[in-house]
């Protein structure tokens, strides 16, 4: 959701394969009169937004067999849960998937200066707050209704043929299937022709395809049940706190859910101190959540950047597995769903009604190139913003003051809600540049020094 605030300042980011009938490379046609009932099989590993949206597209092509793997069909992924307004319409999400419609936000500086944001929103505009167990299930069920075969199982290993980039040799997935009433998994395997890795930051698909490593933040969240009276404050309100007490390089949040609030924070540079930062965000929220009962504690990794390799042979990564989470904001839900859909649409088109398998170069050109062109600038801008405004308390104070500008708020919300670059008013942009310099000077003059920390072991792990 911080994209909403951050981009503002820039404004200005088990079927048989027909392969045995083919003697040529992977791009050759597979159709023949003796193989009309044979279908290529696509395995989507992971049932979150990226996997579900990919499986939905594949399943609508009746000449492709689609299987979607998910370890827990009722999984409640740890997540802040903010989604932009455009996602509601673009992905046909019913309002039942949205717990709260946030129309007001408070951004709170290290010295507890508060800036109210939201006056520029229209009556029909809002940021959706969802629970992942609700939204993910809806998207997954829709993919299943189109014909995707669901398997409640954990993929443990993938056998990748040595020459999978040159021919149609199949991949072998080894997995544990979890059947109803049995807590122990049943070991099974399956041969498939193409794999979509939608299995998150700790992706088994990424490991199998040697996708390379990336730096990641650790996000920590507590779901806290507060009284109905206190919950009224958060009915349409979200809060974001900045300061080195809550995170040296991220932000802390209080996001409203159906009948509770999600209170959390995250960090890349000092992950061992995450519980210390979590206590600080609870303390900063203070009386507004006092007396609340912690009903769930969650933690998860957030990738900082793209993986070095997102396509290898006929294996493609989407969502968190690919590294599609923005710096500065930590936003990933929309980009997960969008990347899953874009990858599947590109590959289905390349498969030409299930007649052929695409090769690596084709997938990179049809999926990666358009995605990077569309969203690459957003990732770059937010990376720069994080470096500039999250580096110390002086910069954080400046950031909060800048967000008091109605122009900044308008550009930010429009950019976040609709995923389009807004602004480009030369006079206002020039004024914003001057305001930014002034706010930085003032922020550095009033800010308290950042606390020093040292974790050489953790720092050595960073790429």
């Amino acid at each position: 959701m911080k994209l909403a605030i951050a981009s503002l300042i820039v404004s200005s980011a088990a079927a048989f394969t027909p392969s045995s009938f083919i003697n040529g490379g992977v791009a050759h046609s597979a159709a023949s009169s003796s193989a009309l009932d044979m279908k290529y099989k696509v395995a989507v590993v992971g049932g979150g937004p990226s996997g579900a949206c990919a499986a939905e597209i594949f399943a609508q092509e009746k000449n492709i067999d689609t299987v979607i793997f998910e370890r827990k069909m009722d999984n409640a992924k740890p997540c802040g849960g903010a989604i932009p307004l455009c996602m509601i319409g673009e992905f046909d999400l019913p309002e039942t998937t949205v717990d709260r419609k946030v129309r007001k936000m408070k951004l709170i500086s290290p010295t507890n200066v508060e800036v109210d944001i939201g006056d520029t929103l229209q009556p029909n505009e809002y940021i959706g707050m969802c629970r992942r167990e609700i939204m993910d299930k809806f998207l997954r069920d829709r993919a299943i209704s189109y014909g995707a075969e669901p398997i409640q199982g954990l993929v443990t290993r993938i056998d990748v043929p040595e020459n999978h980039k040159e021919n149609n040799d199949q991949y072998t997935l080894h997995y544990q299937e979890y059947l109803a009433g049995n807590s122990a998994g049943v070991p099974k395997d399956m041969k498939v022709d193409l794999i979509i890795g939608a299995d998150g930051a700790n992706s088994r698909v990424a490991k199998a395809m040697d996708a390379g490593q990336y730096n990641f933040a650790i996000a920590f969240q507590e779901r806290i049940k507060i009284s109905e009276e206190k919950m009224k404050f958060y009915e349409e309100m979200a809060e974001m706190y900045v300061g080195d007490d809550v995170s040296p390089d991220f932000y802390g949040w209080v996001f409203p859910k159906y009948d509770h609030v999600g209170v959390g924070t995250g960090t890349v540079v000092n992950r061992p101190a995450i519980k210390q930062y979590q206590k600080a965000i609870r303390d900063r929220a203070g009386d507004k959540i006092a007396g609340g009962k912690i009903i769930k504690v969650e933690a998860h990794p957030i990738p900082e950047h793209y993986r070095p390799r997102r396509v290898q042979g006929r294996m493609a990564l989407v969502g968190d597995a690919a590294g599609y989470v923005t710096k500065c904001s930590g936003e990933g839900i929309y980009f997960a769903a969008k990347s899953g859909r874009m990858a599947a649409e590109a590959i289905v088109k390349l498969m030409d009604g299930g007649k052929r398998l695409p090769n690596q170069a084709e997938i990179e050109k049809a999926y990666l190139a358009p995605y990077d062109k569309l969203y690459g600038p957003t990732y770059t801008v937010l990376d720069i913003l994080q470096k500039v405004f999250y580096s110390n308390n002086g910069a954080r104070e400046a950031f909060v003051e800048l967000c008091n500008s109605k122009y900044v708020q308008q550009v930010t919300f429009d950019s976040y809600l609709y995923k389009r670059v807004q602004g480009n008013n030369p006079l206002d942009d020039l004024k914003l540049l001057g305001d930014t310099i002034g706010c930085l000077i003032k922020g550095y003059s009033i800010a308290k020094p950042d606390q020093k920390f040292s974790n050489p072991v953790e720092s050595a792990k960073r790429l």
Side-chain angles (χ1 to χ4, degrees), residues 98-109:
V98 177
D99 282 346
R100 298 279 178 177
K101 296 178 179 179
V102 168
R103 294 184 170 92
K104 295 176 284 186
M105 295 165 52
K106 283 186 182 292
L107 181 59
I108 301 137
S109 81

Side-chain angles (χ1 to χ4, degrees), residues 88-264:
I88 306 293
E90 186 176 348
F91 290 88
D92 296 320
L93 297 177
E95 290 202 351
T96 53
T97 62
V98 177
D99 282 346
R100 298 279 178 177
K101 296 178 179 179
V102 168
R103 294 184 170 92
K104 295 176 284 186
M105 295 165 52
K106 283 186 182 292
L107 181 59
I108 301 137
S109 81
T111 56
N112 285 321
V113 173
E114 296 185 1
V115 168
D116 292 316
I117 301 173
D119 289 345
T120 61
L121 288 177
Q122 299 300 312
N124 63 335
E125 292 181 322
Y126 61 88
I127 294 171
M129 288 291 171
C130 65
R131 285 170 292 166
R132 290 291 300 276
E133 58 267 36
I134 304 298
M135 187 183 72
D136 291 12
K137 183 179 186 302
F138 171 80
L139 291 171
R140 198 164 46 240
D141 286 350
R142 187 164 66 188
I144 293 168
S145 73
Y146 280 118
E149 176 191 352
I151 294 181
Q152 183 161 309
L154 175 66
V155 174
T156 56
R157 192 177 86 249
I158 301 172
D159 294 339
V160 180
E162 186 175 348
N163 54 355
H164 71 116
K165 296 181 183 180
E166 285 76 42
N167 62 31
N168 289 340
D169 288 356
Q170 290 182 298
Y171 303 96
T172 303
L173 274 70
H174 301 271
Y175 61 98
Q176 297 283 329
E177 183 173 13
Y178 296 90
L179 304 173
N182 189 351
S183 59
V186 179
K188 294 186 176 182
D189 58 70
M190 176 186 295
K191 289 190 177 296
V192 301
D193 299 288
L194 195 144
I195 300 174
I196 300 296
D199 47 342
N202 297 316
S203 171
R204 300 289 176 90
V205 177
K207 182 179 180 180
M209 63 185 267
D210 189 27
Q213 299 300 313
Y214 50 26
N215 294 321
F216 64 90
I218 185 71
F220 193 97
Q221 177 174 265
E222 295 167 328
R223 298 194 190 193
I224 300 178
K225 180 90 169 180
I226 57 177
S227 68
E228 289 185 15
E229 188 64 29
K230 291 181 184 293
M231 198 69 201
K232 289 179 182 178
F233 175 78
Y234 292 107
E235 185 173 355
E236 293 185 336
M237 172 73 74
E239 294 183 308
M240 285 178 283
Y241 295 79
V242 291
D244 68 317
D245 56 335
V246 298
S247 174
D249 57 335
F250 208 54
Y251 63 94
W253 65 85
V254 181
F255 289 168
K257 306 293 183 181
Y258 173 67
D259 60 354
H260 61 278
V261 290
V263 181

